[in-house]
Structure formats: structure tokens, C-alpha cells
Amino acid sequence: MIEVVEVDAEEGEAVAHPLEWRGAGKPPLIRLKTAEGEPHLAIGERALVRLERTHGLEFVGRVIRRIERAPERLLAILVTGPHGARLQPTDKRIRGEFALENRNAKGVEPGDLVLAEVLPGGRLGMKRARVVERLGTTRSPKTASLIAIHAHDIPTKFNDAAFAEAERIAPAPMHDRVDLRDLPLVTIDGEDARDFDDAVFAEPDDDATNPSGFHIVVAIADVAWYVRPDRPLDREARHRGNSVYFPDRVVPMLPERLSNDLCSLRPLEDRPCLAVHVWIDGDGRKRRHRFARAMMRSQARLTYDEAQATWDGTPRGSAAGLRERVLAPLYGAFRALSRARQARGTLDLDLEERKVVLGADGRIERIVPRPRYDSHRLIEEFMILANVCAAETIEERKLTCMYRVHDTPDSAKLDALRVVLNGLGFRLAKGQVLKPQHFNRILDWAAGTPERHLVNQLVLRTQSLAVYSPDNRGHFGLALRRYAHFTSPIRRYADLLVHRALITGLALGRGGLDDGPSPDFAATAEHVSATERRAAAAEREALDRYVAAWLEARVGAEFSARISGVTRFGLFVSLDGLGADGLIPIRTLPGDIYQHDPRHHMLRGRRTGRNFTLGQPVSVRLVEATPVSGSLRFELLGFDAPPKRAVRPSRRSPKRMHKTQRRQAR
């Protein structure tokens, strides 16, 4: 017996755990395979499966029988039609509508978002459900994030005890903190940043033995001073795990009294911080570092755009006037750190990001490419450096650390990558210890070819998922032996634990691990890794709904796109310039019977030999946009069906056709 705990958003593949596990260590992962044409299992669904071991503690499960259907409750929109009121599920994986059992549900009107309870029965007719609670209305553009919040059970209200504790907190006193208020620290964030938890500073090193080196300071909000172990605020922060960001709102890990005020490094205001001083040489190699509990005052709140424009010679905003005194040493240190990164050989994927711009009415105004400036990379390199220092210091003190680990790629995924690369003429040898540089060579080789998008997608899918763990397994993508998130304690609980370990290990005062009961790092790591995945899924689904609402008026329009996913039930495509994703059902592909080739990420036409492959450019027409579920449906353009061949009449009953042929013929 297994229970589904996660579903791959692109492939639809379900991942499950056994309901009972008596073996040593963690329960194994079970990747479920369903029969051709059978719908995939949903999260929470249980089944009896036959297991086949693949490697390590990972199995493939073949579903024998479903035990119970999920969900017992669902989010839905109340709609009306020829047959009266119906409930339309917001989850695109739930097929069909539900008959409304309590038609006179108080206060519920067409267009309302409701929580409904699925009722038993209804196998021969329409499934039935009853309204449990009205949550809002789809007439508001904020419904997209509201649906995601409720669908993933993301807590939005702080309990009374945590809220009261936050309101009682007074600003941190100076006491014996190091005074950094005269240091020209600045924050550099996006225009839409809601909290500021990191500030940076750099200057040339005055040590004669390090002529091209730099002294760097990374100052991080001292959240541990305010959020003490096992207090109401701490328990609530652990429960949430992290903040969740949507285009129209943020669901914070900490109450606004902390996240937007006392812990936010706002300009020209005294703020407590945990700062790390780092000295690097001209090639970005770290020479030494030390931590201090300090009081700082940010000199300016800069945006990435302002910092980059000012550095490029066009002074803008708060960055104007700071070019030589503040930005010049920052960019100098960044160039040194970039050389160290290149020498280390970190994974360098070419992935496009999109930014959603909302109008005054809360609806999408436009979708634009998210720029990638050196100012972004500067902050990234400074944060990575600070995180490495944190992990090293905790490890030296022999304290438990909440590492950020990124394992080496899965061997089965590597084998699948080799198959595709061999077909393209690139050989990825077996038996060698793979490093990020090997993948970078593949990416460099593909950079100037039509297969660039395909190769980038395949390399990305080969990578393991980064998670939190008290066991150090290194960070493969960054090519680092030890790494711990230290730089965002306002929005990540794992970072708060790292701060507490540093405070305890360096005897920096109150708010360390020893201020409360010893936390279960293993259980917390598993929990915050899960809340991180939950947040990512909710953010992605909300964005899908926003985009579907934006494209609803463009049904019938034609777009250029690329195939972003290949499954046995169709092709997923991503629109160029928009990043919007949708499905081309296999039954709509031009005149052929298509077979799924998962090893080559391809659909193969039996008669025509026509292939559709991951990364392939295509032209599509938008057929349907459903804002409620965030789903888009397309049809393929530019591929005419081949002429039909004359066939001799057959006495064979249509019922004897292969089920795949029957389904695709409909």
C-alpha cells in the first residue's frame, strides 16, 4: 500500500511513500507507472502496487488497484449552465464538473470560489459535491493566488499567540554589538522587493600582502534576536517554513511587524545584524573570515536596475552619486569572485525567466523577459560567499548545521541523457566522476546549434533537487564541498537555524540554539524542504492562472513555441517570449498513431515517421484558456495530415481495435 505525496507538474508522474515502513532509515521513494490510457494518481490517493527496485532506495511501482480516490475535498468555482448550478474544479487534473448537492448554500453565487466536499456515489451519473465554505469570488484578479493558497493549504493568518508576541517586541538594543553604522552598507534588490534582509559593502584590502584583494562585508538581519527558540513566533515560523511570493501578494513567514519593520534593513534606520567580514585575493579565493553581531544603518536602498545603470555611466535613482565610493569596490570584488566561480566550474544553465507586470487593477499588464544584470550576479556571488563562510564556521565548531545540499545527478537520468546526446553526436562517457564542468562542456557544445533548448532542458532535468539536510553532501551545482543558507532568515526558517548555530558556536549572546530545547534537525530539514516545494508549486500555479486569464481574450491567436514536455498523452509547449505553458493533446496531432519514446523524449509517428521532440520549435494556435485551472490548450500548425491510403474493408469489429487507436481516433 502506498500514498502519493508529490506529482511531477510536467510529466504527471506520481511519487509515493509506503503507508507503513519498518526498514532502517527513510522510507523509499516509489515512482508510479500507470497503464496506457489510465489517469495518473493524485496527491493523497492510495493504491496497491507491485514494486520493482531500480537503484538505492528508489523503486518503480506498477499500480494494481486504487484503494481510495482523492481528493475528498476540492476547490471549485460555482458556475451555471443549461442544467443548473455546477461546481467546476480549479485543479486541472480533476476531470469534469460536480453536481451541486446543496443548491441553496447560503451566500454562494455564480462565480464564487468555494471549498466543497465530494459526496459518495454518482458513478453512473455526474459526481456530486456540497459547498462547505465560500472563499472569495473569481471577479477579483487576486483569485489566482487565493486558489493557490487554499489548494496547497498555505497558512495566511498568524495565530493569536505569535501575533501578540510580535506586537510586544521592542527594537534590539546596542548593548555589546559591533558598531557598523558608519560603514556605507547598501541593499540591492528588485523593484518589487517587500523585505530587505541583506546589505553589502566592499573595499580594497589594505594588507600589503594582498595587493589586488578585497575586504567584503555581508550584513544579514538579526532575526534570531527577535525570534527565540520554541516561542510562539518560532513555532509559527517553523510551521510555515518559508515566505510564499505571488504577483499580487506575499504570504510571509513572519508577521509584518518583523518582516517589513524591525528585521527589514530599511535605509537610514538602525538595524541589528549578523555580519560576516571576508577577505579575498584578486582571484576571488577566500583568505579568511570572521563573524560579528552588529548594529548597522543602510546608506541606500538600491534596485538592480539603478545599480547597473549607474555603474554603466547613467546615474539613476538612489544609486546616483554612489558610483565611485560604493559601487566601484563592489563591482571590483564581484569580478574577483567571478574568476573564482569560473575556476571552480559551477553549472551554468541558459534558462530564460519572465516577469509578470500587474496593472493598477491587479490584472496582468504585460509579460517581459526578466533582465539578468551584473548587479544580480554581484549579489548572488556575495551571498554564496557568506553562505560558505557560515557552513565552514559551524562545521569547525562541530555543531549541527542545516546544510543546503545538492546531490550528484541520478544515474538513471544520466543514462537517459547519454542516449539523447549520443543521437546528437556528443558522447558523455560512463564511469567517470561527473562534475559541473562536464555539463558545461555539453552546454557550450550545444550553444550554437538548433538543439540548444533541448540540451539545456535535458541537463536541467538530469539534476537532483536541492534540499535541506543536517548531513553534508555538498552542493553539486555550485561545486562546493559545504554550503548553508544564511542570508535570508526573514523568509526561510532554515537560515534562522543557521544563525542560531553561529550565535551559539561563536558565543555571540542570546538567541542561539542553547536558548531552548534542542531542535530535531532531521525532521525540520524534511519539513522545510517540503514547504519549499509547496511554495514553488503554489507560485507556479498562481502564475499559470494569471497567464490563462490574460490569454483568454486571445483564443484563436497563433504563437511560436517550443516543445517543453513530451508525454504519452500529448505535448507540452512553452510560448516564445511569454513562458506560458499548455498542452497539445495527442489525439489532435496530425493524422497518425503516435508512440511515446521516453528515452528520447519523443513522440514517433508509426506511419509517417514524423517525430516530435523536446525543445523542437513549433507553431501553435490557442484553442482554449481556462483561468480557473490555469490550463491552456493548443493545436499544432504547419503539419498537414498525410493523404489517406485506400484500405480493404475489414470484418474486424471496431471494438477489437487497440485501445490506443480507439482513443486517438475519437
Side-chain angles (χ1 to χ4, degrees):
M1 287 276 291
I2 57 86
E3 180 173 353
V4 177
V5 295
E6 188 176 346
V7 175
D8 186 303
E10 292 181 348
E11 298 290 342
E13 184 180 69
V15 178
H17 283 165
L19 282 177
E20 294 186 14
W21 175 248
R22 297 190 179 95
K26 296 181 179 180
L29 286 176
I30 303 169
R31 300 191 178 277
L32 299 181
K33 302 294 183 184
T34 49
E36 182 76 25
E38 185 178 347
H40 294 279
L41 274 71
I43 293 175
E45 196 163 359
R46 298 181 179 186
L48 183 65
V49 300
R50 180 181 294 110
L51 296 181
E52 302 170 9
R53 183 186 289 273
T54 55
H55 60 275
L57 264 183
E58 189 164 314
F59 294 79
V60 169
R62 306 284 175 178
V63 177
I64 300 172
R65 186 176 73 255
R66 296 171 183 236
I67 304 302
E68 59 182 59
R69 293 291 298 171
E72 295 181 352
R73 287 192 169 191
L74 59 86
L75 286 172
I77 304 296
L78 181 63
V79 297
T80 56
H83 304 291
R86 295 287 186 266
L87 292 176
Q88 184 181 37
T90 61
D91 189 336
K92 66 182 75 174
R93 294 168 297 190
I94 302 176
R95 304 281 183 180
E97 295 179 344
F98 288 72
L100 182 61
E101 189 69 12
N102 50 342
R103 290 186 175 85
N104 298 320
K106 187 175 180 180
V108 178
E109 299 177 354
D112 282 352
L113 173 67
V114 300
L115 179 64
E117 185 178 74
V118 179
L119 299 175
R123 289 189 176 184
L124 300 179
M126 181 175 283
K127 295 170 286 187
R128 301 178 302 126
R130 69 179 185 87
V131 173
V132 175
E133 182 183 357
R134 178 185 180 277
L135 301 175
T137 174
T138 55
R139 289 181 286 276
S140 167
K142 294 186 176 183
T143 302
S145 54
L146 184 64
I147 291 173
I149 287 168
H150 284 279
H152 292 275
D153 197 24
I154 294 172
T156 56
K157 294 182 179 179
F158 290 94
N159 62 55
D160 292 343
F163 186 79
E165 183 184 357
E167 291 301 306
R168 290 194 304 266
I169 289 177
M174 182 68 187
H175 283 330
D176 53 356
R177 292 178 181 272
V178 176
D179 194 343
L180 296 180
R181 287 175 290 186
D182 290 334
L183 204 64
L185 286 152
V186 295
T187 62
I188 307 178
D189 297 276
E191 292 181 4
D192 54 354
R194 297 172 171 93
D195 46 53
F196 315 112
D197 48 14
D198 57 83
V200 293
F201 163 81
E203 64 181 355
D205 190 359
D206 58 6
D207 186 344
T209 65
N210 190 27
S212 301
F214 288 89
H215 167 220
I216 292 171
V217 178
V218 177
I220 307 298
D222 190 358
V223 177
W225 175 266
Y226 296 111
V227 183
R228 301 297 174 87
D230 206 34
R231 299 274 291 273
L233 270 174
D234 177 58
R235 291 192 291 270
E236 182 74 2
R238 184 192 183 280
H239 172 59
R240 292 171 179 242
N242 45 256
S243 298
V244 189
Y245 296 88
F246 299 104
D248 65 315
R249 72 179 85 192
V250 60
V251 181
M253 185 182 78
L254 299 171
E256 286 192 11
R257 167 71 171 153
L258 294 175
S259 60
N260 289 355
D261 184 5
L262 295 178
C263 293
S264 187
L265 306 182
R266 302 194 299 205
L268 305 180
E269 296 185 21
D270 290 359
R271 289 291 182 266
C273 65
L274 199 57
V276 57
H277 296 255
V278 194
W279 288 265
I280 62 172
D281 65 19
D283 289 321
R285 294 184 293 259
K286 184 170 71 69
R287 303 186 76 190
R288 69 185 190 279
H289 73 268
R290 63 176 171 83
F291 283 88
R293 213 167 189 182
M295 187 70 73
M296 62 157 286
R297 176 179 291 196
S298 170
Q299 298 301 301
R301 178 269 201 264
L302 311 183
T303 68
Y304 293 117
D305 291 356
E306 291 171 350
Q308 191 62 47
T310 300
W311 178 243
D312 290 340
T314 308
R316 282 181 51 190
S318 301
L322 299 179
R323 189 180 192 279
E324 298 305 320
R325 184 169 65 97
V326 174
L327 294 181
L330 285 174
Y331 275 85
F334 159 64
R335 286 191 294 270
L337 291 172
S338 295
R339 287 191 283 274
R341 181 189 185 100
Q342 188 172 6
R344 203 167 68 240
T346 62
L347 185 61
D348 190 17
L349 286 164
D350 179 18
L351 302 174
E352 296 179 350
E353 291 188 37
R354 301 290 160 183
K355 179 181 178 181
V356 171
V357 180
L358 300 183
D361 60 356
R363 302 181 190 279
I364 288 185
E365 191 173 89
R366 63 188 186 277
I367 300 176
V368 297
R370 188 178 290 275
R372 180 72 171 160
Y373 300 130
D374 276 350
S375 54
H376 292 88
R377 299 182 180 92
L378 184 157
I379 292 300
E380 182 179 287
E381 290 300 327
F382 277 49
M383 298 305 111
I384 290 172
L385 179 64
N387 290 337
V388 169
C389 293
E392 288 181 356
T393 300
I394 295 172
E395 197 170 278
E396 288 168 1
R397 278 15 180 224
K398 295 182 169 43
L399 291 170
T400 305
C401 182
M402 184 63 79
Y403 293 100
R404 179 66 168 180
V405 299
H406 182 220
D407 279 338
T408 54
D410 175 84
S411 59
K413 292 181 179 179
L414 281 174
D415 289 341
L417 177 64
R418 286 189 180 94
V419 170
V420 179
L421 291 177
N422 286 341
L424 296 175
F426 189 98
R427 184 172 179 270
L428 182 62
K430 283 188 174 183
Q432 62 181 330
V433 177
L434 285 180
K435 297 181 179 180
Q437 297 98 309
H438 295 103
F439 290 104
N440 287 338
R441 289 184 200 130
I442 297 171
L443 297 171
D444 290 342
W445 164 79
T449 70
E451 288 79 23
R452 176 173 67 91
H453 294 279
L454 166 64
V455 173
N456 268 272
Q457 285 290 327
L458 290 177
V459 170
L460 174 63
R461 296 179 184 203
T462 303
Q463 304 308 307
S464 300
L465 184 69
V467 297
Y468 295 104
S469 173
D471 302 318
N472 182 23
R473 301 193 295 275
H475 197 292
F476 177 81
L478 293 175
L480 293 169
R481 289 184 295 173
R482 57 188 65 82
Y483 191 66
H485 277 167
F486 158 74
T487 54
S488 294
I490 291 178
R491 61 186 179 91
R492 294 189 303 229
Y493 190 77
D495 299 49
L496 178 55
L497 290 183
V498 169
H499 276 235
R500 288 174 178 165
L502 289 168
I503 290 167
T504 295
L506 298 171
L508 295 178
R510 300 179 61 187
L513 292 175
D514 49 2
D515 267 12
S518 179
D520 185 335
F521 270 75
T524 301
E526 189 171 335
H527 170 71
V528 295
S529 296
T531 61
E532 180 184 49
R533 293 193 298 271
R534 177 182 69 179
E539 291 165 357
R540 182 177 61 246
E541 290 175 14
L543 187 57
D544 287 346
R545 291 185 174 93
Y546 266 106
V547 172
W550 188 57
L551 289 174
E552 191 175 19
R554 302 181 67 184
V555 169
E558 298 179 4
F559 301 88
S560 60
R562 287 190 180 273
I563 296 175
S564 58
V566 180
T567 71
R568 56 190 170 190
F569 53 82
L571 303 172
F572 284 99
V573 293
S574 181
L575 303 187
D576 293 342
L578 296 178
D581 296 296
L583 175 69
I584 302 175
I586 195 170
R587 68 178 182 276
T588 68
L589 293 179
D592 206 340
I593 303 298
Y594 291 90
Q595 293 178 310
H596 182 215
D597 180 353
R599 284 173 64 82
H600 292 87
H601 300 273
M602 181 183 296
L603 286 181
R604 298 180 182 275
R606 287 184 185 176
R607 293 187 294 108
T608 63
R610 180 181 293 142
N611 299 331
F612 295 105
T613 311
L614 189 71
Q616 179 180 335
V618 291
S619 295
V620 298
R621 177 184 291 115
L622 179 61
V623 175
E624 182 181 64
T626 310
V628 167
S629 62
S631 59
L632 302 172
R633 184 162 59 86
F634 297 94
E635 63 181 6
L636 201 60
L637 300 176
F639 292 91
D640 296 328
K644 294 183 179 179
R645 294 180 297 176
V647 294
R648 291 167 50 186
S650 173
R651 299 178 185 176
R652 184 180 177 186
S653 167
K655 295 182 180 178
R656 298 290 300 276
M657 292 171 64
H658 188 274
K659 60 185 177 183
T660 302
Q661 294 173 305
R662 292 201 305 272
R663 188 178 65 253
Q664 295 185 359
R666 286 199 292 269

